[in-house]
Amino acid sequence: MERPGPFLRCVAPWLAVAIVARLAAATPAPGPSIGFALQALAIGAFATAWMRQVALDEQPVRFGFGLRALLVAVIYQVALMFESFPRPFLELLLDGIKDGPMLAVAGVQIFQLLIGCFFLVLPHVALSKKGEAGGNRLQLMVLAGGLGVGLGYVLCGLPFLVMNMLWDEAAVTLPTEGLPGVAVDAVRLMISFAGIGVASAFFAQVWMVLQGVNPFVNQTPPADTEADSEPKAKRTERLNKLTKKK
């Protein structure tokens, strides 16, 4: 992380909200639903604020929340569900095979490599100015990014995936109730938010590079001909003279 200070100032309030959401999720209904929604909103708000700070150098408003953050939160949760779609099928297919769970994780990573470019919708929503979100701009940026964006997304998340797996193994022997359980969940959230921060910064920088790029047009426009460069008034006058002569 190149800028740990701004990152910590940006992530701290939303990490606190996510921890509160985990506590709410442990209460009776409708606690789990409230906790899930609150955590999703915290992730969306943090990702939006961090992308805007990385790409636009915009200072985040503490606990600031708007329509962009709401859209990013919803899109991100849908994307997470979509990218984890192959996992249960791979686990079922590889059941009984040695290292089957690890192979399933590797299969999900390959799937993320293929669909990673579609995550550019997140910076598109978070960073686009008013009036820029329409048209085919996003489609062109996705095509321009291609597998390179997917590879970057996988590499950004890989260290945090390993840390999560190691922490899950270590947390098996730790208590899950009371304050110790909250501490265990807090560590998971810290790892998760760190991964989201790195991925958000990556997508924001890619978006800044790709914005305005058209993969289908890679040629300089033809030079204006003499007739095209001639002022319209002079062309009209010349045509009128030719008409009178006839």
Side-chain angles (χ1 to χ4, degrees):
M1 190 71 65
E2 295 181 0
R3 301 189 293 176
F7 172 76
L8 292 176
R9 286 193 295 270
C10 184
V11 72
W14 298 113
L15 179 59
V17 172
I19 293 174
V20 172
R22 282 293 179 92
L23 293 174
T27 61
S33 299
I34 295 175
F36 173 79
L38 192 60
Q39 182 174 326
L41 292 177
I43 291 173
F46 162 62
T48 302
W50 184 234
M51 281 190 283
R52 293 187 68 82
Q53 185 165 356
V54 169
L56 308 177
D57 201 25
E58 178 181 288
Q59 296 303 311
V61 178
R62 185 168 296 180
F63 296 111
F65 191 83
L67 180 59
R68 290 179 188 271
L70 178 61
L71 290 175
V72 168
V74 173
I75 293 170
Y76 182 71
Q77 293 302 319
V78 172
L80 285 183
M81 288 188 290
F82 181 67
E83 75 173 10
S84 61
F85 174 75
R87 184 160 191 167
F89 297 98
L90 290 172
E91 290 178 347
L92 182 62
L93 181 65
L94 299 171
D95 186 30
I97 299 177
K98 185 180 179 181
D99 296 329
M102 292 300 298
L103 292 175
V105 171
V108 173
Q109 297 299 298
I110 294 173
F111 187 63
Q112 289 177 339
L113 171 66
L114 298 175
I115 67 168
C117 59
F118 294 102
F119 277 75
L120 286 173
V121 68
L122 297 174
H124 183 70
V125 171
L127 303 176
S128 292
K129 297 178 182 177
K130 188 176 181 180
E132 290 183 347
N136 62 347
R137 187 181 185 190
L138 175 60
Q139 295 92 313
L140 295 177
M141 291 172 68
V142 168
L143 291 173
L147 290 178
V149 177
L151 178 61
Y153 173 54
V154 171
L155 293 178
C156 284
L158 193 58
F160 303 99
L161 174 65
V162 174
M163 282 190 282
N164 258 321
M165 294 174 67
L166 292 175
W167 180 246
D168 287 341
E169 291 182 4
V172 171
T173 59
L174 298 177
T176 58
E177 302 293 336
L179 289 178
V182 173
V184 170
D185 285 341
V187 172
R188 287 196 183 98
L189 284 172
M190 290 177 189
I191 297 172
S192 177
F193 269 73
I196 292 169
V198 172
S200 298
F202 167 73
F203 283 122
Q205 291 174 343
V206 169
W207 188 88
M208 292 297 292
V209 172
L210 293 180
Q211 65 173 339
V213 172
N214 188 335
F216 300 109
V217 179
N218 195 23
Q219 299 176 351
T220 56
D224 292 338
T225 61
E226 184 179 351
D228 292 334
S229 61
E230 187 178 7
K232 184 177 180 181
K234 290 186 177 181
R235 291 204 305 269
T236 304
E237 183 180 353
R238 189 177 63 179
L239 289 173
N240 289 336
K241 289 181 180 180
L242 291 174
T243 304
K244 289 179 181 179
K245 288 181 180 180
K246 291 181 179 180

